[in-house]
Amino acid sequence: MSVKPWMRVSSALLAVAWGGNEFTPLLVMYRTVEGYEQVAVDMLLAAYVLGIVPALLVGGPLSDRHGRRALMIPAPILAMVGSILLALGAGSLVLLFVGRVFSGLALGLGMAVGTSWIKELSDRPYEEHPERVSGARRASLSLTAGFALGAVIAATLAQFAPLQTVLPYVINLLICLPAVLLVAGAPETRHASAPHGSLLSDLKIPATRQHRFWFVVAPSAPWVFGCAASSYAILPALMADVVGPDYGIAFSGLMCLVGLGCGFFIQPLGRHLDRDGSIRSLAVGMVAVILGMLTAVAAAATLNIVVVLAASAVLGCGYGLVLVSGLQEVQRIARPDDLAGLTAVFYSLTYVGFFVPMVLALIARFTSYPWLFASGAVIAALCLGVMAYGRRHEVRDLDALEAAAAR
């Protein structure tokens, strides 16, 4: 049985997402077993953003000009390097930091290039009925599945298996090896073109000038991983004393499963809500973000396991809806020549949210987490207001253009 072209790329995207998130539920382990402070652990969580953002902003535009395969094949290889460094670095903050950066480089390439490649492989001539499928949903589901499986399996092995600081990362090596071979056999959709100028000119993304991107998509983007990080990084840390050291890692894995599982299964709703010109899908996602932050207020105040799991579920729904809706908007706005570039900018904005745990850990010294989550709900509501304003402004501009054309 032959593997469909989009599935080949999806396997690599899943593998690098697995490598990017396998570290997250192990934060409890590094804090309790290795004795690292909470701020240091949160710094390691955010460290891979230092790899993700450059890989996104360079890899995406370059793949638009020079082809997808050449930029995508290195992604699972870099993920393997990251996992090896993490497996070797349990006692060294430096090795863990560098390993996280490599994991970020892999994920950045995978997200920018892989998402665009999957979208192109979901159209003709690679798909007989492209109207029945969504490249954005295929990419976001692959990403979310990798995040969820990597976190849950890493947490299970770290909690119940031997070699708890090594074995979780070995699994990622076994996932990445076949992914390299699969993605190498995927058909190229963007063949390298004649030189267009300097490297700097290759990195320009004309689609970023569009009003809709900055006033509708951008205000929602940081909430993708703002929700995810709140769900499976902040709340498990708050629950560490409640669940105890014997089950702390497993509970962190459960939180990842609940949050990302809800994010996975809610994504088809984003496609049903999506309409050309409307921001309904993104708006519903932002409402879920606000509800998730409010539920997190109750979770942080009570530290009740049921309430905490409920907060993780609602935050996961916000993550899933905003992710798939944002990608749908990006694929609608972008031209073929800058699809990966604009996707890279969108993902870079989403990863602003990954600094939330570190920032909140610093601010929490002066206030409480319930107040911080309540502030998050207010900020999310303001972002929704900016999106509504941006949409109304866009409609007024279109009406003015139509009236001018009629005259």
Side-chain angles (χ1 to χ4, degrees):
M1 180 180 176
S2 62
V3 180
K4 289 186 176 182
W6 74 269
M7 290 182 178
R8 290 178 173 273
V9 182
S10 175
S11 70
L13 185 55
L14 185 148
V16 297
W18 184 305
N21 210 37
E22 62 192 349
F23 183 87
T24 305
L26 307 186
L27 295 174
V28 175
M29 177 185 73
Y30 288 111
R31 193 176 67 253
T32 57
V33 177
E34 300 296 333
Y36 295 132
E37 293 184 1
Q38 184 64 48
V39 173
V41 170
D42 289 335
M43 177 192 69
L44 291 173
L45 177 68
Y48 86 140
V49 178
L50 299 178
I52 286 172
V53 174
L56 282 169
L57 296 179
V58 174
L62 287 182
S63 78
D64 282 328
R65 294 292 182 93
H66 305 293
R68 307 297 188 209
R69 187 185 294 111
L71 275 298
M72 187 64 188
I73 288 176
I77 298 172
L78 290 169
M80 287 191 284
V81 173
S83 288
I84 290 170
L85 291 172
L86 290 169
L88 297 175
S92 169
L93 269 176
V94 173
L95 272 182
L96 290 175
F97 189 92
V98 175
R100 289 291 286 160
V101 171
F102 269 93
S103 297
L105 289 169
L107 187 55
L109 284 177
M111 292 171 81
V113 183
T115 297
S116 304
W117 203 359
I118 288 171
K119 190 269 180 186
E120 291 161 348
L121 292 172
S122 299
D123 291 331
R124 288 188 174 89
Y126 310 102
E127 192 72 46
E128 290 184 8
H129 303 285
E131 69 280 356
R132 299 179 186 175
V133 300
S134 167
R137 187 157 65 94
R138 283 175 169 177
S140 61
L141 288 175
S142 302
L143 195 67
T144 303
F147 285 150
L149 291 171
V152 171
I153 291 176
T156 303
L157 293 174
Q159 185 73 75
F160 302 110
L163 302 173
Q164 64 179 164
T165 62
V166 175
L167 193 57
Y169 303 113
V170 173
I171 302 300
N172 185 237
L173 299 179
L174 301 178
I175 298 295
C176 287
L177 281 170
V180 175
L181 300 177
L182 283 169
V183 77
E188 180 60 75
T189 55
R190 294 288 301 172
H191 295 283
S193 54
H196 288 265
S198 66
L199 175 63
L200 186 60
S201 68
D202 276 358
L203 301 183
K204 291 180 180 178
I205 307 164
T208 56
R209 303 189 188 110
Q210 294 200 34
H211 176 276
R212 188 177 180 93
F213 182 79
W214 291 110
F215 283 88
V216 173
V217 179
S220 66
W223 295 101
V224 172
F225 291 114
C227 281
S230 297
S231 171
Y232 55 64
I234 298 175
L235 291 177
L238 296 179
M239 292 292 290
D241 292 335
V242 176
V243 298
D246 293 337
Y247 296 101
I249 302 171
F251 183 76
S252 183
L254 176 63
M255 292 287 284
C256 288
L257 177 62
V258 171
L260 291 169
C262 289
F264 182 91
F265 288 109
I266 199 71
Q267 288 182 26
L269 177 62
R271 186 185 178 200
H272 292 301
L273 292 171
D274 186 54
R275 294 290 184 276
D276 284 353
S278 168
I279 66 166
R280 182 169 58 176
S281 183
L282 266 178
V284 171
M286 288 302 296
V287 170
V289 171
I290 295 166
L291 293 176
M293 288 291 158
L294 292 175
T295 313
V297 172
T302 63
L303 296 183
N304 178 280
I305 289 178
V306 175
V307 180
V308 169
L309 289 173
S312 181
V314 182
L315 287 166
C317 289
Y319 153 84
L321 283 174
V322 175
L323 174 61
V324 71
S325 302
L327 284 174
Q328 287 168 167
E329 286 287 341
V330 165
Q331 293 182 0
R332 184 176 296 124
I333 293 169
R335 306 174 310 172
D337 288 343
D338 58 10
L339 174 60
L342 192 63
T343 301
V345 175
F346 168 70
Y347 276 134
S348 298
L349 292 172
T350 67
Y351 269 99
V352 172
F354 240 91
F355 289 99
V356 168
M358 183 175 66
V359 172
L360 294 191
L362 292 169
I363 300 175
R365 298 173 178 177
F366 310 103
T367 185
S368 66
Y369 272 97
W371 278 108
L372 292 173
F373 282 125
S375 300
V378 172
I379 296 170
L382 292 174
C383 289
L384 181 56
V386 171
M387 292 162 61
Y389 166 79
R391 173 57 184 152
R392 285 197 300 270
H393 188 275
E394 186 180 42
V395 170
R396 286 198 300 268
D397 287 349
L398 288 172
D399 290 342
L401 286 172
E402 290 175 359
R407 289 196 296 270

